[in-house]
Amino acid sequence: MDQENQPRAYGNHQTPAHYESGDGCLTTLIRIPVRIVVLVIVLPVRMVWDALVATSRAADRMLLRPVGRALAWLCRVLVVIPLVRLYESVLTPLGHGLWWLAAVVGRGLRWLGAAVFVWPWVALWRYVVVPVVRYGIVAPAVWLYASVLTPVGHGLRRVYRALLVPAGRGVATAIGRLLTALFVWPVVGVWRYVLVPLTLTLGRLAEYLIVAPLAWTYRELLNPLGHGIAWLAGVVARGLVAAARGLGAAVAWLVVTVLVTPVGWILRRVLAPVGREIATAIGVAWRIAGHVSRAVGRALARLAWHLIGAPVAWTYRTVCTPVGHFVRDMVWAPAARAAVEAGRAARDALRTARETVRQARRDAWRALVGRGPVPEPREPVAPLARTLGSTTTVPSAAPEPEISLRKQG
């Protein structure tokens, strides 16, 4: 149980038996009590777990698998085989017949639909609409376009190019010059000789009266005042930052000293060893409980064998086996042979009855309709090994003579 105190080998040297792993006194004090307590708690759980596992395996081997096989066989016999026979013997022929009937009906409906809805419209389009449109609308329109509209359009284009274009250009030039003299030249004169000089004069006056005083005020008063305010704000901000840093360092040191260091020491020195030892104790206790549980299980199995299994095996081997052999040899085998003989006799009787019925039906039919012409009996002619018109030869057959004795038809 205490594997940490065992000597460890490093190369060819071994550490002495009194080597200590460096664990604290708390770990050494709690190790053995914790393992004893955990073993007492874990042992019943492990025994119950092993009992459940053994019970489930036995139930699976002795109950679930046979029941599953029986249910599978029963399902196959009662459901699968009837369904397969139904599908092969009933549904497949019925489906083939329905498919053939649907195909025939579909062809008939398609032909009927084409005859009722397609062919009349095709004939109407081909023999009525197309000739009327071609010879009643398209041909006159083409003649009108080629013989009337094209010459008229060419004449109008020539008149437009020869008369209207030069006249339009002259009128446009005269109107443009008149509008320029009436509207453009006065506006240009007012802009060039009135507005531009007035704007330049007002701009220079505003520069000397407004812009220059404002620039001097900004450069000589506002700029130095702003620099002074910025320097004062920087000094105050640096002081506040230094004070905040000092206060933060003090608070951080206080938190680390009062809270983090004790919590870390408790976690590292108390909780971590205790948790590690509890986990190790649970593992060791689980393995020891497994050994104990297996030993108890072997003892119970041996006791059950001596109390139940051995008497049952002796009874089966000494009593049931001879009785079963006697029943098999003296009862079951003669009954099976008798059943086989009875089945054969029944099949022979049924075969004879069928032949009798078939012969009686044939005789009745001949008595009603008479006997037809009897075909002339012919002898079966086996294929010869080689003919005059073929070069194929069968290795295991005798060659055919050169003169064929067949009847020439």
Side-chain angles (χ1 to χ4, degrees), residues 167-179:
R169 289 177 180 175
V171 172
T173 303
I175 292 174
R177 291 180 179 179
L178 180 61
L179 292 176

Side-chain angles (χ1 to χ4, degrees), residues 157-173:
R157 184 179 62 182
R158 291 178 181 177
V159 169
Y160 172 75
R161 289 182 177 179
L163 297 178
L164 295 180
V165 171
R169 289 177 180 175
V171 172
T173 303

Side-chain angles (χ1 to χ4, degrees), residues 49-99:
W49 174 261
D50 291 339
L52 292 176
V53 170
T55 304
S56 64
R57 290 179 180 175
D60 180 67
R61 188 183 303 110
M62 300 175 61
L63 182 62
L64 296 180
R65 293 182 184 178
V67 170
R69 294 192 187 96
L71 291 178
W73 178 83
L74 188 63
C75 181
R76 183 173 65 253
V77 171
L78 296 180
V79 180
V80 177
I81 294 177
L83 289 178
V84 171
R85 297 291 177 82
L86 177 65
Y87 175 78
E88 293 178 352
S89 303
V90 179
L91 296 180
T92 300
L94 182 61
H96 290 172
L98 292 177
W99 180 82

Side-chain angles (χ1 to χ4, degrees), residues 294-307:
R294 283 193 291 271
V296 173
R298 285 194 294 268
L300 292 177
R302 186 175 298 274
L303 182 62
W305 167 254
H306 286 290
L307 294 178

Side-chain angles (χ1 to χ4, degrees), residues 144-318:
L144 179 65
Y145 175 78
S147 302
V148 178
L149 296 180
T150 300
V152 171
H154 291 174
L156 292 176
R157 184 179 62 182
R158 291 178 181 177
V159 169
Y160 172 75
R161 289 182 177 179
L163 297 178
L164 295 180
V165 171
R169 289 177 180 175
V171 172
T173 303
I175 292 174
R177 291 180 179 179
L178 180 61
L179 292 176
T180 301
L182 292 177
F183 297 102
V184 177
W185 289 350
V187 174
V188 171
V190 171
W191 171 260
R192 181 177 299 173
Y193 300 107
V194 177
L195 296 179
V196 172
L198 182 61
T199 303
L200 293 176
T201 303
L202 293 176
R204 291 180 180 178
L205 184 62
E207 181 180 358
Y208 285 109
L209 294 178
I210 299 173
V211 176
L214 291 177
W216 181 85
T217 302
Y218 174 77
R219 186 173 58 254
E220 300 297 335
L221 296 178
L222 297 180
N223 195 10
L225 182 61
H227 284 295
I229 293 173
W231 176 81
L232 182 61
V235 171
V236 174
R238 285 194 294 272
L240 293 177
V241 168
R245 286 179 180 177
L247 182 60
V251 171
W253 177 84
L254 184 62
V255 169
V256 169
T257 303
V258 175
L259 184 63
V260 176
T261 301
V263 171
W265 182 86
I266 293 173
L267 179 64
R268 185 172 59 256
R269 297 297 180 180
V270 179
L271 297 180
V274 170
R276 185 168 59 250
E277 288 301 325
I278 290 174
T280 307
I282 290 174
V284 174
W286 185 262
R287 291 192 293 272
I288 295 173
H291 291 290
V292 174
S293 177
R294 283 193 291 271
V296 173
R298 285 194 294 268
L300 292 177
R302 186 175 298 274
L303 182 62
W305 167 254
H306 286 290
L307 294 178
I308 300 174
V312 170
W314 180 85
T315 304
Y316 175 79
R317 185 172 59 252
T318 308

